[in-house]
Amino acid sequence: TSRPVETDASPSVEQSFPPFNRRREARVEDRHWYSFEMYESHTAGAEAVVEGKVLSLNRSAHGILLLMSEPPQVRQLIALYNPQLGWHRSTMVYEICWVRAVPIESERSQFLVGCRHNITARSR
């Protein structure tokens, strides 16, 4: 006789990790370098706390996956600029949803950063 498989997952362990939530919308490869400004908070008049370059890996209608050399904080806002489109037309503001370290041989870790388009953020 076979028995059902039992799991030992306790509620406290399950809650310590964010739920696995894959988007159902199509993703397209998008490998471009963007200039970025990162903001500490959502408040009007917030100053950029970090600026630099970031590589996008893919995007969907409501999000983008980035590869960064430094780990940002979840819930920070990041404004991406595509210099080929001009400063004003290319501004996209995202909220950082999750960050995962990716160890790379012979280099420091890089960080995968999942972002959601933030339509409530004011134009920067």
Side-chain angles (χ1 to χ4, degrees):
T1 59
S2 63
R3 294 176 33 174
V5 176
E6 296 178 20
T7 61
D8 291 331
S10 68
S12 62
V13 171
E14 291 174 6
Q15 292 176 1
S16 66
F17 296 97
F20 187 73
N21 185 12
R22 302 271 311 167
R23 292 183 189 268
R24 292 195 168 107
E25 56 195 20
R27 294 176 184 211
V28 295
E29 185 176 318
D30 177 44
R31 299 199 186 216
H32 292 96
W33 285 100
Y34 289 92
S35 296
F36 75 87
E37 291 180 348
M38 186 122 29
Y39 297 87
E40 193 64 41
S41 70
H42 298 250
T43 59
E47 296 293 322
V49 293
V50 178
E51 297 179 1
K53 296 261 187 207
V54 64
L55 178 65
S56 65
L57 299 176
N58 69 38
R59 70 173 43 248
S60 65
H62 298 100
I64 192 166
L65 180 63
L66 304 173
L67 186 64
M68 299 182 75
S69 59
E70 297 295 326
Q73 298 296 314
V74 171
R75 307 224 5 114
Q76 273 186 300
L77 293 182
I78 185 168
L80 302 179
Y81 307 101
N82 183 335
Q84 296 173 347
L85 298 176
W87 192 259
H88 230 13
R89 287 185 347 153
S90 68
T91 305
M92 298 167 287
V93 179
Y94 294 91
E95 180 179 354
I96 296 171
C97 296
W98 55 266
V99 177
R100 292 196 180 97
V102 179
I104 298 176
E105 287 185 35
S106 75
E107 290 186 30
R108 297 184 352 196
S109 290
Q110 297 289 303
F111 299 88
L112 285 176
V113 180
C115 303
R116 174 181 42 227
H117 185 66
N118 190 309
I119 58 174
T120 61
R122 67 176 181 81
S123 176
R124 304 245 179 234

